[in-house]
Amino acid sequence: MKQLNLENYKGIIFDLDGVIYDITGAIKKSVEDTVEKYKLNVDKNEIMQEIAHLIEDLQNYPVPEIILNSYNLLKINFMEGMSYFKKLRIGIYLFTQFNKYKDAESTLFKGMDNLIEYLSKRKIKLAILTNNKSTYAEEVLQKYNLNKYFNYIVGFNDVSETKPNPEGIFLILKRWKMKPKDVIFIGDMTSDVDAGKTSKVMMICVASGLAQKEDLQNHNPDILVDNTEELIKLFHQ
Ligand SMILES: [Mg+2]
């Protein structure tokens, strides 16, 4: 098992969903409902990542923009060949089901609160970089009393380009006055891996359920772990 020497780092940037906050339950249930309702002949695990991205987009954009961009937003592999209106019905149903499950099904990954507290005690600077709204991240962290550990939260509203663009990472490096080699970025999607690799920070990827491990591996993270339990072990508390 690989281990990290914390002495070599001054800051850690966390993605929120899929790393600290577990929304996989809500996404899986909404996918299951949709597959059943529309009798879709798909591999649920394969479409999970696409759906996670779609849900992220839908959470980010204001409604008029979603309506205007719906044609492009719904250009999704597993819906190829369907009529635009069928895609729209499926997309709306998915998002409705996700919102229904989101609060009840989502929770912190076990032990992540302890890890965050531990890193903060070790004087490591902590930030969040999410493609969601920064206020969403604030609300989630506040719910678990974790906001005090993060001195910088960057959401899609704080950058002109979201991940996979590394703009958000560079913004945090600048605020912290740190070099890429001083910083670790932890994410769970290929877009995170690409942002981390481009910015040349230490990129740790957690295959926590939404993206396929093989897919993540193909994007070459510096370290790839199977779940948050393995992630926590990397820091050897
Ligand atoms: Mg994520």
Side-chain angles (χ1 to χ4, degrees), residues 108-189:
L108 280 191
F109 282 106
K110 192 168 163 273
M112 285 306 288
D113 44 354
N114 291 332
L115 176 67
I116 288 162
E117 194 187 344
Y118 166 79
L119 294 170
S120 170
K121 277 191 183 141
R122 292 277 311 258
K123 305 284 178 234
I124 305 270
K125 282 236 165 73
L126 304 179
I128 297 281
L129 174 60
T130 173
N131 277 0
N132 245 300
K133 254 199 201 109
S134 54
T135 47
Y136 161 81
E138 277 161 27
E139 276 164 28
V140 169
L141 293 172
Q142 213 147 27
K143 192 165 141 192
Y144 298 96
N145 209 13
L146 292 173
N147 45 337
K148 59 182 181 244
Y149 299 115
F150 293 89
N151 80 339
Y152 200 13
I153 294 173
V154 175
F156 82 93
N157 45 303
D158 301 303
V159 291
S160 50
E161 295 281 341
T162 55
K163 300 173 283 188
N165 192 295
E167 185 185 334
I169 295 180
F170 287 132
L171 198 64
I172 296 167
L173 291 178
K174 197 174 163 199
R175 160 84 69 104
W176 282 348
K177 298 187 173 65
M178 290 182 197
K179 296 196 171 72
K181 67 169 179 55
D182 300 327
V183 172
I184 299 170
F185 176 47
I186 309 172
D188 69 311
M189 300 287 237

Side-chain angles (χ1 to χ4, degrees), residues 15-19 56 163 187-189 192 210:
D15 171 41
L16 184 68
D17 289 337
V19 175
E56 204 170 60
K163 300 173 283 188
D188 69 311
M189 300 287 237
D192 294 313
L210 295 177

Side-chain angles (χ1 to χ4, degrees), residues 2-237:
K2 274 182 223 159
Q3 204 114 80
L4 275 172
N5 187 357
L6 260 191
E7 308 277 313
N8 296 334
Y9 300 97
K10 297 183 200 157
I12 302 182
I13 304 168
F14 287 87
D15 171 41
L16 184 68
D17 289 337
V19 175
I20 294 173
Y21 198 47
D22 186 2
I23 58 161
T24 45
I27 292 190
K28 278 185 182 155
K29 282 202 167 178
S30 52
V31 168
E32 275 160 21
D33 289 358
T34 307
V35 166
E36 198 182 300
K37 182 174 166 79
Y38 290 94
K39 309 213 171 358
L40 302 174
N41 185 20
V42 290
D43 180 334
K44 285 179 206 160
N45 291 321
E46 269 175 27
I47 66 171
M48 211 67 84
Q49 179 168 329
E50 272 193 317
I51 298 217
H53 279 301
L54 175 67
I55 286 174
E56 204 170 60
D57 286 341
L58 294 177
Q59 282 181 297
N60 290 349
Y61 298 127
V63 173
E65 219 168 301
I66 292 177
I67 295 172
L68 291 172
N69 287 315
S70 56
Y71 183 79
N72 283 326
L73 281 169
L74 293 169
K75 267 187 189 155
I76 290 178
N77 282 330
F78 81 87
M79 295 206 270
E80 219 180 84
M82 292 178 190
S83 75
Y84 169 67
F85 288 105
K86 184 161 187 190
K87 286 182 179 180
L88 207 53
R89 274 201 298 275
I90 292 178
I92 290 168
Y93 183 73
L94 249 173
F95 194 54
T96 308
Q97 294 308 97
F98 173 73
N99 279 326
K100 196 176 95 184
Y101 294 126
K102 192 174 64 180
D103 284 338
E105 294 287 328
S106 304
T107 170
L108 280 191
F109 282 106
K110 192 168 163 273
M112 285 306 288
D113 44 354
N114 291 332
L115 176 67
I116 288 162
E117 194 187 344
Y118 166 79
L119 294 170
S120 170
K121 277 191 183 141
R122 292 277 311 258
K123 305 284 178 234
I124 305 270
K125 282 236 165 73
L126 304 179
I128 297 281
L129 174 60
T130 173
N131 277 0
N132 245 300
K133 254 199 201 109
S134 54
T135 47
Y136 161 81
E138 277 161 27
E139 276 164 28
V140 169
L141 293 172
Q142 213 147 27
K143 192 165 141 192
Y144 298 96
N145 209 13
L146 292 173
N147 45 337
K148 59 182 181 244
Y149 299 115
F150 293 89
N151 80 339
Y152 200 13
I153 294 173
V154 175
F156 82 93
N157 45 303
D158 301 303
V159 291
S160 50
E161 295 281 341
T162 55
K163 300 173 283 188
N165 192 295
E167 185 185 334
I169 295 180
F170 287 132
L171 198 64
I172 296 167
L173 291 178
K174 197 174 163 199
R175 160 84 69 104
W176 282 348
K177 298 187 173 65
M178 290 182 197
K179 296 196 171 72
K181 67 169 179 55
D182 300 327
V183 172
I184 299 170
F185 176 47
I186 309 172
D188 69 311
M189 300 287 237
T190 57
S191 51
D192 294 313
V193 179
D194 292 347
K197 294 298 286 180
T198 313
S199 63
K200 303 229 164 26
V201 295
M202 162 62 93
M203 175 64 217
I204 302 179
C205 184
V206 196
S208 55
L210 295 177
Q212 308 256 54
K213 195 180 174 189
E214 207 190 323
D215 216 8
L216 295 167
Q217 184 66 69
N218 288 339
H219 287 250
N220 284 317
D222 296 305
I223 298 177
L224 178 61
V225 290
D226 283 339
N227 46 49
T228 45
E229 203 177 315
E230 298 290 313
L231 174 73
I232 292 166
K233 279 188 202 156
L234 272 182
F235 292 94
H236 193 233
Q237 293 178 69

